[in-house]
Amino acid sequence: MREYSRLFIDGSWQVPSGRGLAEVIDPASETVAGRVPLGDEHDVNRAVAAARQAFADWSRSPSSVRATFIQALVAQLKMRAEEMASVITTELGMPVQWCRSVQVDGPIAGLEQYIELAGLMDEVREVGNSLVYREAVGVCAFINPWNYPLHQLIGKLAPALAAGCTVVVKPSQETPLHAFLLAEMIEAIGLPPGVFNLVSGPGAKVGEALARHPQVDMVSFTGSTGAGVRVAQAAAPTVKRVCLELGGKSPLLISADADLQAAVRYGVQDVMINSGQTCTALTRMLLPTSRYAEAVEIALAETRSLTMGDPLDPASFLGPMCSASQRRTVLDYVRVGQEEGARLLCGGQAPTDLERGFYVQPTLFADVDNRMRIAQEEIFGPVLCLIPYQDEAQAIALANDSPFGLSSAVWAADRQHAMALARQLRAGQCFLNGAAFNYQAPFGGYKQSGNGREWGEEGLAEFVEIKAVQL
């Protein structure tokens, strides 16, 4: 049980203006795992004022100083990695066999690269009679999601610190405990007061106040497309920079010459990790009609082989949904899919052998038409749609027939064939033949999946203003 009664503002733990505590529910046991303060607009104003006060000195500090603080935070995270993984498993429900590597070790590696990338802020480019400088964008507001909470927070915080920005963080109400633990680490490394501020509370109150605040220069939001639109609307009157990482309905295009067993198994596992609560999940599997029946059998066998259960059990591949609300959403989509005429092969309901927890069985739909809602809308649960195609031209058209464009994948017999297909997909990233996520590469989407990029040099660029000085 972790209980916090204060917010981290201006380098210290301060009594909030907002009243009350929000309970954090363990989605596996349905018991209270922690409590955090309910901040309000007055707390937002205090945090923004602290960030504004700190910005001048922090943005002008040598890049080597900022890199040293990033290095110290890396050391803190490595030292307390098991504790952080345990907190995220408890508040999110991701099984321990995945949580340490995916939710903690990956973000640490992503953070570590900015020790070196901070030095890019010192580079001056000469163009004709001008010198071109990089400068920090200013005070940044981060509105974070619940599904990969530390990953998304570090993806914003690391480049912001490297660039010389100051920040105010609002974690999701479902999974805020990791952010308070991170604030403890921030305090331990002695980051200057006001550089990092933490205000928890509801999005409609705290998030909106941050997005519209006239002293916030940039807002970076990760979440649903609908919520992202509202953030952009709130930010528009002050013409601040807005970076959005939103929803996805990503395709996995499996070619007729692919290793079908490997490709289909990869696709099933990709969706079911984190119980489908992944914005980049490959939830539409596009299969050649010539091999469709075989692929359906492989997918069904793989889905049935996955163990769902207590996230503290190392044997569990899937844990619960993050909340009762998310479970209801997923089950509603299963009903919609059946009404639309898709063939339910397995899953689609809460398990009968687990008395507590927000679980949904891993679910497989066959014979899905890409025009169905379950193929067009983000379900955010362990639901995979199998969609047949006649030829590769149709496969490309189906893959791109989506309002989203966050991620994609191709599995083909060789890299050249896979690359030829990948270059035709309208998405911010594409994974070829089971390739791994790369923290040095830019991450972000096309179309309604958002704008801007996180990670790598492109992630740093989001927090940079460009100044040209004419000589």
Side-chain angles (χ1 to χ4, degrees):
M1 175 68 143
R2 289 177 176 265
E3 186 162 329
Y4 296 90
S5 60
R6 301 188 176 211
L7 301 170
F8 191 74
I9 297 175
D10 203 18
S12 66
W13 295 96
Q14 300 190 15
V15 176
S17 171
R19 295 183 177 181
L21 298 176
E23 292 184 339
V24 181
I25 304 300
D26 180 336
S29 65
E30 302 184 45
T31 59
V32 178
R35 294 184 178 90
V36 298
L38 287 167
D40 63 11
E41 191 165 350
H42 295 292
D43 296 312
V44 168
N45 290 338
R46 285 194 295 149
V48 172
R52 176 58 61 195
Q53 179 68 29
F55 176 69
D57 287 345
W58 179 248
S59 62
R60 289 196 294 262
S61 64
S63 64
S64 59
V65 169
R66 300 196 301 275
T68 298
F69 278 112
I70 294 172
Q71 190 169 33
L73 185 56
V74 167
Q76 278 284 317
L77 278 163
K78 287 181 176 179
M79 182 174 66
R80 303 181 72 176
E82 283 297 330
E83 182 182 4
M84 179 64 80
S86 176
V87 166
I88 295 175
T89 290
T90 300
E91 63 182 352
L92 173 63
M94 189 179 204
V96 291
Q97 73 155 299
W98 300 114
C99 201
R100 171 66 189 268
S101 59
V102 174
Q103 298 279 4
V104 181
D105 290 347
I108 291 173
L111 173 63
E112 200 161 14
Q113 69 178 306
Y114 286 94
I115 298 170
E116 180 178 349
L117 290 177
L120 291 178
M121 297 299 294
D122 300 331
E123 294 181 359
V124 181
R125 186 162 50 99
E126 187 171 354
V127 183
N129 68 313
S130 302
L131 298 178
V132 181
Y133 294 87
R134 292 183 176 99
E135 295 183 351
V137 74
V139 174
C140 302
F142 299 157
I143 305 173
N144 288 318
W146 48 261
N147 61 325
Y148 287 85
L150 183 67
H151 178 281
Q152 291 306 117
L153 176 49
I154 295 297
K156 304 175 195 306
L157 179 62
L161 294 179
C165 297
T166 57
V167 307
V168 181
V169 174
K170 192 208 88 67
S172 166
Q173 280 195 278
E174 282 79 12
T175 58
L177 299 176
H178 74 284
F180 282 80
L181 178 56
L182 185 68
E184 292 177 4
M185 300 181 198
I186 294 285
E187 183 181 32
I189 66 173
L191 195 68
V195 174
F196 175 95
N197 305 274
L198 174 64
V199 180
S200 55
K205 184 177 292 185
V206 174
E208 184 175 340
L210 284 168
R212 69 168 186 260
H213 202 291
Q215 291 298 312
V216 169
D217 301 294
M218 173 189 178
V219 58
S220 180
F221 169 85
T222 300
S224 70
T225 296
V229 169
R230 292 191 293 273
V231 166
Q233 289 171 337
T238 50
V239 201
K240 56 174 57 69
R241 185 176 299 182
V242 178
C243 183
L244 302 172
E245 197 271 280
L246 307 176
K249 196 69 183 179
S250 302
L252 166 57
L253 197 170
I254 299 177
S255 70
D257 62 3
D259 179 339
L260 197 64
Q261 183 83 15
V264 173
R265 291 188 64 202
Y266 162 79
V268 169
Q269 291 185 20
D270 175 87
V271 171
M272 301 308 168
I273 287 177
N274 206 25
S275 298
Q277 299 168 126
T278 305
C279 55
T280 58
L282 303 169
T283 50
R284 294 184 296 142
M285 186 181 290
L286 308 180
L287 297 158
T289 53
S290 61
R291 308 189 70 184
Y292 184 71
E294 181 186 358
V296 168
E297 291 304 314
I298 296 170
L300 183 57
E302 182 64 21
T303 303
R304 285 175 170 166
S305 74
L306 302 178
T307 301
M308 182 178 64
D310 184 349
L312 297 178
D313 183 350
S316 295
F317 191 97
L318 298 91
M321 310 306 300
C322 181
S323 65
S325 173
Q326 190 60 28
R327 177 175 62 180
R328 285 193 299 271
T329 297
V330 174
L331 294 177
D332 283 345
Y333 269 111
V334 172
R335 174 183 52 78
V336 167
Q338 292 175 290
E339 292 172 351
E340 290 179 314
R343 180 160 54 103
L344 181 64
L345 297 177
C346 66
Q349 59 186 336
T352 57
D353 58 336
L354 295 170
E355 295 181 358
R356 302 178 70 86
F358 308 130
Y359 292 91
V360 175
Q361 294 174 335
T363 302
L364 199 60
F365 275 113
D367 307 339
V368 175
D369 188 301
N370 199 59
R371 293 168 293 184
M372 293 178 179
R373 284 182 60 193
I374 59 169
Q376 287 292 309
E377 298 175 14
E378 186 175 44
I379 298 173
F380 229 55
V383 182
L384 173 59
C385 296
L386 307 183
I387 304 173
Y389 68 83
Q390 294 293 329
D391 54 35
E392 289 185 353
Q394 185 191 25
I396 294 295
L398 288 170
N400 291 333
D401 181 18
S402 170
F404 301 109
L406 184 57
S407 190
S408 61
V410 171
W411 203 295
D414 58 73
R415 180 180 294 183
Q416 184 176 0
H417 185 191
M419 183 64 75
L421 295 171
R423 290 301 304 273
Q424 299 176 70
L425 300 182
R426 295 283 297 164
Q429 51 256 303
C430 188
F431 295 83
L432 303 189
N433 291 3
F437 186 85
N438 180 10
Y439 283 91
Q440 295 177 295
F443 175 80
Y446 290 13
K447 299 186 279 186
Q448 291 185 31
S449 287
N451 52 56
R453 292 296 182 267
E454 296 177 346
W455 303 116
E457 288 190 31
E458 287 82 359
L460 180 69
E462 296 295 333
F463 296 90
V464 171
E465 292 281 18
I466 301 296
K467 175 180 286 182
V469 177
Q470 277 63 254
L471 304 176

